[in-house]
């Protein structure tokens, strides 16, 4: 069973939304699923967090203890992980993050979805970005992009960086942005013209990731 890393072209693009939809699609296929969000910034115990959303999608209780299991590195400031950690006089131990994920990958019982943090090159410390993290894990990834004006260049840039590092992009998901002047399908087709051989899935704006949308099944086929 697979382990998949979910990254994006930037923050607030749809990684958690897609991961929750994917969890539900895999569960509907009778698959066992676990998920991690190892690093969270902008974390507020009193608010709904990414780890809380993943736990809900998994059908697990949302509590301080379960959130800490999914997400050991939590920081309050809504900043990039390196900056958020520095605000608390802490630093992210890159090797410890990699070890934590490797352990989870090695002991998984079913599919394991690991949500990254921010975009493909969000810094974790002074020397490592998300790209180094996913390269160290050497697992396939799902890249989530938006459909806002400008996304084509951001997406192709991210794909080029991932390709140069020899990483395996299993699927590209264009998750419709809140306000996109360009139609979703036209944006999808424009990106697909430059990414031959890559499965590019258009995910429309949905009321809820619990919606049973065929795009989630398409992504699930890659996991
Ligand atoms: N296809 C979609 N339909 C409806 N809402 C969406 C869709 N994609 C993303 N969203 C919404 O956009 C917002 C940002 O998405 P999300 O939280 O999944 O981004 P993220 O990439 O996980 O962000 P972060 O970097 O903070 O982890 C959320 O409110 C989410 O519900
Ligand atoms: Mg998220």
């Amino acid at each position: 069973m697979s382990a998949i890393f979910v990254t994006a072209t930037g923050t607030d693009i749809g990684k958690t939304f897609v991961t929750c939809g994917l969890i539900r699609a895999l569960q509907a296929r009778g698959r066992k699923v676990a998920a991690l969000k190892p690093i969270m910034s902008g974390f507020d115990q009193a608010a709904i967090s990414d780890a809380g959303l993943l736990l809900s999608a998994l059908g697990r209780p949302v509590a301080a203890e379960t959130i800490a299991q999914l997400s050991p590195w939590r920081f309050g400031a809504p900043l990039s992980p390196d900056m958020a950690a520095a605000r608390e006089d802490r630093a992210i131990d890159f090797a410890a993050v990699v070890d934590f994920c490797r352990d989870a990958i090695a002991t998984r019982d079913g599919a394991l979805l690991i949500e990254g943090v921010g975009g493909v090159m969000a810094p974790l410390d002074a020397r490592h970005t998300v790209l180094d993290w996913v390269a160290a894990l050497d697992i396939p990834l799902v890249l989530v992009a938006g459909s806002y004006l400008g996304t084509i260049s951001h997406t192709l840039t991210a794909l080029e960086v991932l390709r140069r590092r020899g990483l395996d992009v299993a699927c590209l998901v264009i998750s419709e942005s809140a306000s996109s002047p360009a139609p979703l399908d036209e944006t999808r087709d424009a990106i697909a013209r430059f990414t031959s051989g890559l499965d590019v899935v258009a995910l429309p704006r949905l009321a809820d990731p619990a919606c049973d949308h065929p795009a989630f099944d398409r992504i699930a086929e890659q996991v």
Side-chain angles (χ1 to χ4, degrees), residues 19-210:
T19 308
C20 288
L22 188 50
I23 288 170
R24 294 191 173 98
L26 288 166
Q27 286 176 335
R29 292 169 169 233
R31 300 270 302 267
K32 250 185 145 169
V33 193
L36 297 173
K37 168 80 188 187
I39 304 170
M40 282 197 289
S41 57
F43 175 67
D44 173 357
Q45 186 77 58
I48 297 170
S49 64
D50 281 7
L53 289 167
L54 296 176
L55 283 162
S56 298
L58 290 164
R60 295 182 54 193
V62 181
E65 194 191 346
T66 49
I67 287 173
Q69 285 167 3
L70 260 67
S71 199
W73 289 269
R74 302 177 304 284
F75 305 100
L79 298 169
S80 63
D82 59 332
M83 285 188 213
R87 291 291 187 280
E88 299 175 20
D89 292 323
R90 297 162 64 193
I92 293 174
D93 180 343
F94 177 74
V97 173
V98 171
D99 284 349
F100 170 76
C101 295
R102 281 191 181 143
D103 277 356
I105 293 166
T107 58
R108 74 186 184 275
D109 175 20
L112 175 68
L113 311 178
I114 303 176
E115 182 184 334
V117 63
V120 166
M121 290 193 72
L124 307 182
D125 61 21
R127 290 189 305 117
H128 300 96
T129 70
V130 168
L131 193 58
D132 300 305
W133 179 14
V134 64
L137 298 181
D138 198 22
I139 57 176
L141 51 95
V142 169
L143 177 67
V144 184
S147 67
Y148 57 88
L149 185 62
T151 194
I152 298 174
S153 180
H154 290 166
T155 304
L156 297 180
T157 304
L159 284 169
E160 178 68 14
V161 165
L162 292 165
R163 192 189 62 78
R164 286 188 193 199
R165 284 293 284 265
L167 298 175
D168 174 15
V169 181
C171 179
L172 168 64
V173 184
I174 315 296
S175 188
E176 189 168 20
S177 308
S179 52
S180 318
L184 177 62
D185 286 340
E186 231 175 296
T187 302
R188 192 213 81 91
D189 292 349
I191 291 173
R193 278 196 287 278
F194 290 89
T195 59
S196 61
L198 178 63
D199 194 20
V200 188
V201 179
L203 177 67
R205 201 86 198 148
L206 303 174
D208 188 309

